[in-house]
Amino acid sequence: MSEFLNVKDLEYYYQDGDSRRYIFNDLNYNFEKGKFYAILGESGSGKTTLLSILSGMDTQTSGVVDFNGKSIQEIGLNNYRRNNVGMVFQSYNLIPYMTPYENLLIAMSITDNKIEEKSSVVYNLLDFLGITKTKANRLVTKLSGGEQQRVAIARSLSTNVDLILADEPTGNLDLETEETIVETFHLLAKEYDKCVIVATHSNEVAKHADVIINLSSGQKHE
């Protein structure tokens, strides 16, 4: 059994007076490096909540999330997010008054992970994702949506982490760009041994994943 990222007896609910609305109830799963996972579900199914818990941005009601054999609470949620998780958002969440180059350097400045020759790493990552040096030094707002999402993926990789979490990363993109982004996630999993977990409502995105996890009313179906 993989000791990379495991959820055990995960429970999450909202309390409304005397009633509870369960998003998850007794959810268990093991995520492995080298695989591309799609968490598929309609709005309200809990896929974004699950991603928030896996990233340490939200906390489950009960149960445990283990990373490399240790609970993320024991690691410390701030430390876990800073040093072990790369996040990609639907709205990119880039700093708009900075260039792609500067956005990645900011991310690198926060992590405790050791990164040598940061400038070279930034340009190489951006180039790997199709962002030329010229575009790397423009304001991110001067780039297309697809280019901004590639910058966001590069930023998630810049801190030298093995876990990439993406929340509806293709929701604002056209079909052609969506395919390119999905191919990138697949490459990161297969060629670079990352664990890539994407929350999506798109069957087109999900069909490219190694594993599809269907969420419905807090339940998991593979």
Side-chain angles (χ1 to χ4, degrees):
M1 180 182 295
S2 169
E3 289 295 326
F4 183 65
L5 182 67
N6 303 326
V7 297
K8 303 175 182 177
D9 303 324
L10 204 66
E11 182 180 85
Y12 190 96
Y13 62 79
Y14 296 107
Q15 190 76 35
D16 185 11
D18 294 330
S19 64
R20 290 179 178 178
R21 179 182 173 235
Y22 281 88
I23 306 300
F24 308 120
N25 191 7
D26 194 30
L27 184 65
N28 292 272
Y29 204 79
N30 302 314
F31 296 94
E32 301 175 22
K33 290 174 65 178
K35 288 188 177 180
F36 172 16
Y37 297 85
I39 302 173
L40 186 65
E42 297 300 322
S43 178
S45 63
K47 59 186 186 300
T48 295
T49 300
L50 177 56
L51 214 66
S52 295
I53 292 170
L54 294 178
S55 69
M57 292 192 295
D58 200 354
T59 305
Q60 64 273 17
T61 308
S62 65
V64 178
V65 178
D66 282 347
F67 181 81
N68 284 332
K70 184 182 292 187
S71 77
I72 62 175
Q73 275 77 19
E74 184 180 352
I75 294 170
L77 296 183
N78 287 334
N79 289 335
Y80 171 69
R81 288 192 301 267
R82 184 170 64 245
N83 300 321
N84 298 296
V85 183
M87 286 294 302
V88 182
F89 301 92
Q90 178 177 356
S91 56
Y92 322 133
N93 284 24
L94 300 171
I95 301 173
Y97 56 83
M98 289 186 174
T99 65
Y101 176 85
E102 292 167 334
N103 268 270
L104 268 66
L105 280 183
I106 286 290
M108 288 176 165
S109 72
I110 295 171
T111 186
D112 295 326
N113 297 335
K114 188 174 181 179
I115 305 167
E116 302 286 353
E117 299 181 0
K118 292 181 180 179
S119 182
S120 295
V121 170
V122 168
Y123 283 123
N124 287 338
L125 274 175
L126 290 169
D127 182 67
F128 167 69
L129 288 162
I131 304 298
T132 64
K133 195 167 186 178
T134 298
K135 290 182 177 180
N137 291 298
R138 294 177 184 168
L139 289 178
V140 292
T141 52
K142 301 296 184 181
L143 304 180
S144 70
E147 288 169 336
Q148 289 186 56
Q149 194 60 295
R150 293 179 195 184
V151 173
I153 295 171
R155 180 185 58 188
S156 75
L157 296 169
S158 66
T159 54
N160 196 25
V161 298
D162 290 326
L163 176 60
I164 307 298
L165 304 177
D167 189 11
E168 297 285 3
T170 64
N172 292 329
L173 306 177
D174 59 58
L175 183 58
E176 182 178 354
T177 307
E178 175 184 280
E179 290 177 350
T180 300
I181 296 300
V182 171
E183 288 172 1
T184 299
F185 287 136
H186 193 269
L187 178 68
L188 292 174
K190 294 303 176 185
E191 299 296 326
Y192 294 88
D193 199 33
K194 306 293 184 183
C195 177
V196 180
I197 306 173
V198 175
T200 183
H201 67 274
S202 169
N203 287 301
E204 287 299 310
V205 171
K207 74 180 184 181
H208 294 283
D210 298 306
V211 181
I212 299 174
I213 302 170
N214 285 287
L215 288 183
S216 177
S217 301
Q219 303 301 312
K220 171 183 69 68
H221 307 282
E222 290 187 59

